Amino acid sequence: LSATPETPKEDGRPKWDNKFQYILSCIGFAVGLGNVWRFPYLCQIHGGGAFLIPYFIALLFEGIPLLHLELALGQCLRKGSIGAWNTISPYLGGVGVGSWMVSVLVSLYYNTVLTWVMWYFINSFQEPLPWSVCPLNENRTGFNEECYESTAVNYFWYRKTLNITPDIAESGTFQWWLILCLAACWAIVYLCTIRGIETTGKAIYVTAIFPYLVLTIFLIQGLALPGATEGLIYLFTPNLNTLKNPRVWLDAATQIFFSLSLAFGGLIAFASYNPTKNDCEKDAVTVAIVNSMTSLYASIPVFSVLGFKATTAYWDCLDRNIINVINEFDLPEESIMRQNYTSWISFLNSSYPEKIAGLKLKSCDLQEFLDQSVSGTGLAFIVFTQAIILMPGSQAWAILFFIMLFSLGLSSMFGNIEGVFTPLLELQIIPKSAPKELLSGIICLISFLIALCFTLGSGSYWIDIFDRYAGSVPLLVIAFFEVIGVVYIYKIKRFSEDVEWMTGRKLNLFWQITWRFISPLLLLIVFMAFVTLQMQKPPSYTAWNPKYESFPMKEEKVYPPWVQAICVLLAALPCVCVPLVALFHLVKQKRRSKEPSLVPPEVSSCQGANS
Amino acid sequence: MLRALLLILSVVAIAHAELCKPDAQNAFKVRISIKTALGDNAYAWDANEEYLFKAMVAFAMRRYSSKSTTQISNVLLCNVTDRVSFWFVVTDSSKNVTTVPGSEVEAAIRMNRHRINNAFLLSDKTLQFLKITSTLSPPVEPSTPVWLIVFGVVLCLIVAGIVFLIVSGIQKHRKKNKESTERENLEEKVEVTLENGIPCEALDLKAGHINGVFAADDDRFTSL
């Protein structure tokens, strides 16, 4: 055994330029769009500050242990997901294949979300912003009807961007502007991942750090906006009663899990480019804590802006009522102000109740406007864009906001693509003499062609399906098998020796307990609860249908059977790889007429593989 | 004489009151929001402003029908409120005690809306003629949409980056290939001059030809 642990292993494997690049890549992968548009929403609907309790418990017992496991695994075995799991045991190779498949599916639809972000970005250079005004109808007598009945922001999103069809079964046509943006997005991904971590390592300096700058700018601006404090108070006021609802705990567990991008194989790939003598324990804790702090940090400007928007909407509501009253009673201008509105109304109601009733004044309640909670694409493309119109210098804010979203998504894409790229590189799909640029080019080209489906009229419905089914259940299953595989098949004793060798100190009891019992149990519970909740009602979606009676409300529709079959396929395909590959190996072993054993004799470990 | 004059005046006044009242035929309601439009620079609505309004309406009627018969006295204002809102009607001096049809007035106002607004430093929203809709101005659209230009710039940058990286990758690959072939050539040359693992240059030294053990014992041996 070589006694010089400091000499870098000359196995020709690419490596990070420095430790900071590696940590930044992991943080960039973990910190994504969900930190901005899912976590604040969950905080809001689950009792504000009280949500942090289940969130941090899930982080401690589920997030950090699983993260440590993946990083240690990749660092020890120095292979991508497929290679690593094949090394642990050929029967567990299916886990690697499953995570590879999930990375492929998620990359496809995630980049389409970035396409939408890019579309909004390139539209932010106009004055006035295109989502602030309704276009006129054909004979120029009024505004476009669909736009007039909903809002200009909704119209720009559903009509001008998505050109959405009223039903998922109607595919509609290809939207050429989205195809252009999709091509540009995949070109950017190709540009950054062209030589694997050699190029992403340089790009990550920008894409991982820039969002923090913009968030800080938005924080400063957001806090200065009127109504920001209402939004923040609303967000953080703890309501401990919500903790009695098991749904809150489930949401916290799933949020931590998906937020840290576990089970994609990307983290294993990143860690595999590390030198083996690296403190993976500290890395895991660092990345997890930075991810959670970012979520909290991002929710402050988000909720300042939402509070500002709710306050402005409330003032608009009041102003509209005031104008109606003034016009009806011919009172002088500025006689009724927002402050004395209620006293005036009560006075007028007592003197002229029929007139007041005839006006049909809307009741303006600030709480109601604050309660309108939105997450996901609705938050970014509808609510936030509306708020940006109201800010002075809207173009600059829009440009900054969309560049920030793009960077957040791009750094997560690096991790996804790395999860696809590294295993393929190791499987030697292309001959070794061919350059790496060719493989990344092929991956990006094929993904672009498949993702063209999402630029159809019904594309956004399909993206919702991918998000709900491909990017959720399979990950839970794969993570469960990851923990079980390492702890019970590779054996925890050998793994803890490996980790000791890598970090240089004895494995803490905390990791032993969580890896052996707590994390698998938690994963099992979360998986059961998640599946149960999904099965409770038939899967449905909300469609944007201008011909619906209660338009602009979205129409609730059920998925047709063939779509439901695709949902099941998306969720089941990565999961089914695990038993399939195990079965395949069993058959292969039986054919060789050897004794089938769970652990083949020559399983290598960290120290063995590198001596 | 005086009594006749008074009688005529009162008849005219009553006739005017008949013509101009809320919801009268061919009468229009106007609503003005000066404070909303001008804020601190708001002027007060008084008799002079009313006179200007009558003048503008008369001007509009003259321009529309291109006959110079409408006078300021033909425009009647009534029911001025604090809001500021009032009703007005345009009488026809050629026909006795009748009002100009509402459609004509509407067309005239619509044609000259811009001039009327400007006279009062107001806009379509703050100087409202209820029942008269304004034609909306189309938004200014440049010939090439702005987003296409921005997209073109972004795409050019990306393609330039990709080409640069690919070219530098090919160059590095070629340099590595050249280096590895040079190294191979060097090793071949060295191999030719290796004899039993010892490079020939070393064998050229005396130390290879002369066996030092026997050389040192030269005087022990008897010379031949």
Side-chain angles (χ1 to χ4, degrees):
Chain A
L1 232 141
S2 146
T4 47
E6 297 315 317
T7 47
K9 303 294 177 273
E10 292 296 339
D11 53 1
R13 197 173 175 75
K15 52 185 173 34
W16 299 104
D17 288 344
N18 49 54
K19 176 85 181 277
F20 184 58
Q21 220 179 56
Y22 161 64
I23 295 283
L24 213 57
S25 297
C26 289
I27 291 177
F29 185 28
V31 171
L33 296 170
N35 293 65
V36 170
W37 70 34
R38 180 119 176 105
F39 176 79
Y41 163 76
L42 287 176
C43 247
Q44 180 194 355
I45 61 168
H46 289 318
F51 181 70
L52 294 177
I53 299 177
Y55 184 74
F56 278 109
I57 292 180
L59 178 69
L60 199 60
F61 291 113
E62 190 193 344
I64 300 186
L66 285 170
L67 187 61
H68 186 202
L69 188 86
E70 287 211 3
L71 292 183
L73 197 68
Q75 197 175 291
C76 170
L77 297 173
R78 307 204 83 212
K79 292 219 178 88
S81 57
I82 298 184
W85 289 103
N86 267 326
T87 312
I88 289 201
S89 160
Y91 292 93
L92 281 180
V95 178
V97 176
S99 24
W100 181 84
M101 223 176 262
V102 173
S103 286
V104 170
L105 292 173
V106 171
S107 304
L108 286 175
Y109 84 78
Y110 205 80
N111 216 18
T112 315
V113 176
L114 287 187
T115 306
W116 297 337
V117 175
M118 170 167 274
W119 167 251
Y120 267 79
F121 167 70
I122 59 182
N123 270 297
S124 307
F125 287 87
Q126 323 178 10
E127 163 73 30
L129 289 170
W131 55 82
S132 60
V133 284
C134 268
L136 303 176
N137 55 16
E138 284 91 35
N139 45 11
R140 294 225 222 121
T141 52
F143 293 115
N144 179 301
E145 195 189 325
E146 186 182 349
C147 185
Y148 184 69
E149 290 192 14
S150 56
T151 58
V153 182
N154 275 323
Y155 178 76
F156 186 75
W157 169 238
Y158 287 110
R159 193 52 51 212
K160 283 307 222 269
T161 306
L162 301 174
N163 200 5
I164 207 167
T165 54
D167 193 283
I168 194 173
E170 288 174 45
S171 302
T173 52
F174 286 103
Q175 318 307 326
W176 61 273
W177 56 90
L178 284 182
I179 295 182
L180 284 182
C181 292
L182 187 72
C185 282
W186 277 110
I188 293 181
V189 170
Y190 180 52
L191 174 69
C192 294
T193 59
I194 194 168
R195 289 206 268 270
I197 63 163
E198 223 180 287
T199 39
T200 60
K202 311 278 187 312
I204 200 78
Y205 285 118
V206 175
T207 58
I209 297 187
F210 186 72
Y212 288 98
L213 284 172
V214 177
L215 276 176
T216 311
I217 297 175
F218 264 99
L219 181 79
I220 300 174
Q221 158 75 351
L223 288 175
L225 292 170
T229 30
E230 272 84 29
L232 286 174
I233 293 172
Y234 184 71
L235 168 70
F236 284 119
T237 312
N239 175 14
L240 290 164
N241 286 322
T242 55
L243 294 183
K244 296 193 204 131
N245 181 6
R247 188 70 205 262
V248 176
W249 294 87
L250 176 67
D251 276 342
T254 46
Q255 170 62 14
I256 267 293
F257 186 78
F258 300 134
S259 177
L260 283 170
S261 308
L262 299 167
F264 277 90
L267 287 166
I268 297 182
F270 280 154
S272 70
Y273 297 115
N274 263 340
T276 35
K277 284 285 202 179
N278 177 50
D279 194 344
C280 49
E281 183 182 349
K282 203 162 70 162
D283 297 341
V285 175
T286 310
V287 171
I289 290 186
V290 170
N291 179 53
S292 296
M293 289 300 126
T294 308
S295 292
L296 277 171
Y297 188 60
S299 50
I300 300 180
V302 167
F303 264 86
S304 311
V305 172
L306 288 181
F308 162 68
K309 179 176 178 300
T311 308
T312 319
Y314 170 64
W315 284 349
D316 278 344
C317 178
L318 275 183
D319 287 343
R320 239 177 298 137
N321 284 353
I322 290 175
I323 284 286
N324 282 344
V325 170
I326 286 183
N327 286 348
E328 179 70 18
F329 290 93
D330 280 321
L331 301 164
E333 276 182 288
E334 292 183 5
S335 51
I336 307 183
M337 303 294 282
R338 291 178 199 142
Q339 298 92 312
N340 49 18
Y341 170 74
T342 28
S343 49
W344 263 102
I345 285 291
S346 44
F347 162 68
L348 288 171
N349 213 2
S350 48
S351 341
Y352 309 96
E354 333 78 40
K355 267 195 169 180
I356 292 285
L359 281 178
K360 294 207 207 345
L361 297 172
K362 266 183 76 175
S363 69
C364 299
D365 181 17
L366 181 60
Q367 206 55 29
E368 196 186 307
F369 286 111
L370 283 170
D371 275 335
Q372 287 167 2
S373 51
V374 183
S375 79
T377 51
L379 178 71
F381 299 117
I382 299 182
V383 172
F384 230 76
T385 44
Q386 176 120 42
I388 285 177
I389 303 174
L390 305 165
M391 296 187 207
S394 335
Q395 278 79 14
W397 296 113
I399 292 170
L400 269 180
F401 178 63
F402 290 115
I403 293 190
M404 175 189 81
L405 284 187
F406 196 78
S407 308
L408 282 172
L410 195 63
S411 49
S412 299
M413 271 305 284
F414 292 161
N416 283 326
I417 293 288
E418 207 48 54
V420 175
F421 183 65
T422 305
L424 284 182
L425 203 62
E426 285 160 8
L427 285 176
Q428 292 180 355
I429 300 285
I430 56 167
K432 219 166 179 167
S433 54
K436 266 193 269 184
E437 290 89 331
L438 187 66
L439 180 62
S440 44
I442 293 175
I443 293 177
C444 289
L445 185 67
I446 295 182
S447 307
F448 166 66
L449 291 173
I450 300 180
L452 283 175
C453 308
F454 295 123
T455 58
L456 290 167
S458 53
S460 77
Y461 298 133
W462 286 105
I463 290 193
D464 272 333
I465 287 182
F466 269 68
D467 192 30
R468 263 200 273 177
Y469 296 101
S472 58
V473 170
L475 292 172
L476 291 168
V477 171
I478 290 170
F480 179 72
F481 280 110
E482 277 189 3
V483 183
I484 296 293
V486 167
V487 170
Y488 296 109
I489 298 185
Y490 187 73
K491 297 283 191 287
I492 183 87
K493 190 162 174 299
R494 193 202 267 131
F495 192 64
S496 55
E497 277 169 19
D498 291 336
V499 176
E500 257 180 67
W501 188 79
M502 290 195 292
T503 59
R505 55 174 183 276
K506 196 154 165 41
L507 193 69
N508 201 328
L509 189 64
F510 170 74
W511 304 114
Q512 295 256 7
I513 300 178
T514 46
W515 284 342
R516 270 200 232 210
F517 312 115
I518 302 187
S519 297
L521 195 65
L522 262 178
L523 278 173
L524 202 62
I525 297 177
V526 169
F527 173 70
M528 299 288 197
F530 200 78
V531 171
T532 320
L533 260 152
Q534 295 276 27
M535 307 269 249
Q536 264 178 5
K537 49 182 174 70
S540 64
Y541 65 108
T542 48
W544 179 262
N545 185 5
K547 300 203 178 37
Y548 183 47
E549 311 98 39
S550 353
F551 184 78
M553 301 294 286
K554 293 175 84 173
E555 188 181 353
E556 180 107 4
K557 287 187 180 177
V558 177
Y559 286 125
W562 64 276
V563 175
Q564 288 191 26
I566 295 183
C567 297
V568 171
L569 196 71
L570 279 175
L573 203 63
C575 306
V576 106
C577 285
V578 180
L580 266 183
V581 171
L583 207 66
F584 171 71
H585 266 282
L586 200 68
V587 167
K588 210 160 84 168
Q589 289 285 68
K590 275 242 166 86
R591 271 223 223 118
R592 285 204 204 143
S593 58
K594 273 210 203 119
E595 274 287 302
S597 57
L598 270 181
V599 183
E602 59 294 321
V603 173
S604 52
S605 68
C606 296
Q607 304 142 33
N610 295 306
S611 58
Chain B
M1 177 63 181
L2 204 64
R3 233 183 287 154
L5 205 63
L6 273 169
L7 201 65
I8 295 171
L9 273 172
S10 55
V11 165
V12 168
I14 294 169
H16 278 193
E18 281 297 312
L19 289 175
C20 177
K21 59 177 198 276
D23 298 318
Q25 199 189 37
N26 302 329
F28 292 91
K29 182 165 182 184
V30 178
R31 195 183 286 146
I32 300 188
S33 320
I34 309 176
K35 287 212 190 112
T36 318
L38 301 170
D40 287 330
N41 299 330
Y43 49 82
W45 186 262
D46 53 14
N48 298 330
E49 306 291 339
E50 286 182 24
Y51 190 82
L52 178 60
F53 184 80
K54 291 188 204 174
M56 291 308 295
V57 174
F59 161 76
M61 294 302 301
R62 283 191 182 208
R63 257 189 111 210
Y64 174 69
S65 49
S66 4
K67 51 181 195 270
S68 328
T69 51
T70 324
Q71 306 290 327
I72 290 184
S73 47
N74 286 118
V75 183
L76 306 173
L77 258 60
C78 51
N79 282 69
V80 184
T81 63
D82 281 333
R83 166 67 183 83
V84 175
S85 67
F86 49 83
W87 288 84
F88 79 93
V89 81
V90 184
T91 56
D92 200 340
S93 31
S94 51
K95 304 180 192 140
N96 265 341
V97 206
T98 48
T99 51
V100 175
S103 49
E104 266 189 58
V105 180
E106 185 173 333
I109 301 278
R110 212 189 239 139
M111 190 175 106
N112 299 288
R113 189 65 188 269
H114 191 61
R115 299 289 297 271
I116 302 177
N117 285 349
N118 276 351
F120 291 97
L121 307 173
L122 299 172
S123 68
D124 277 3
K125 275 217 185 108
T126 40
L127 171 55
Q128 289 168 300
F129 289 86
L130 306 184
K131 287 195 288 178
I132 301 183
T133 52
S134 44
T135 41
L136 303 155
S137 56
V140 174
E141 256 177 66
S143 47
T144 13
V146 177
W147 68 264
L148 209 54
I149 300 174
V150 181
F151 176 76
V153 169
V154 169
L155 201 62
C156 285
L157 288 170
I158 300 169
V159 170
I162 293 179
V163 165
F164 168 72
L165 281 176
I166 291 184
V167 164
S168 70
I170 294 177
Q171 278 183 344
K172 221 193 298 184
H173 200 66
R174 248 187 240 154
K175 206 163 77 168
K176 206 165 63 169
N177 275 348
K178 207 165 68 164
E179 264 180 32
S180 64
T181 46
E182 269 181 26
R183 211 167 2 105
E184 273 177 33
N185 287 341
L186 209 63
E187 277 176 10
E188 266 184 40
K189 250 200 312 189
V190 173
E191 266 177 33
V192 165
T193 52
L194 272 179
E195 189 78 43
N196 277 347
I198 307 168
C200 287
E201 295 91 64
L203 287 175
D204 281 338
L205 294 169
K206 285 269 182 188
H209 289 294
I210 302 176
N211 193 335
V213 175
F214 293 110
D217 278 337
D218 225 9
D219 22 315
R220 277 213 291 129
F221 294 126
T222 342
S223 49
L224 288 164

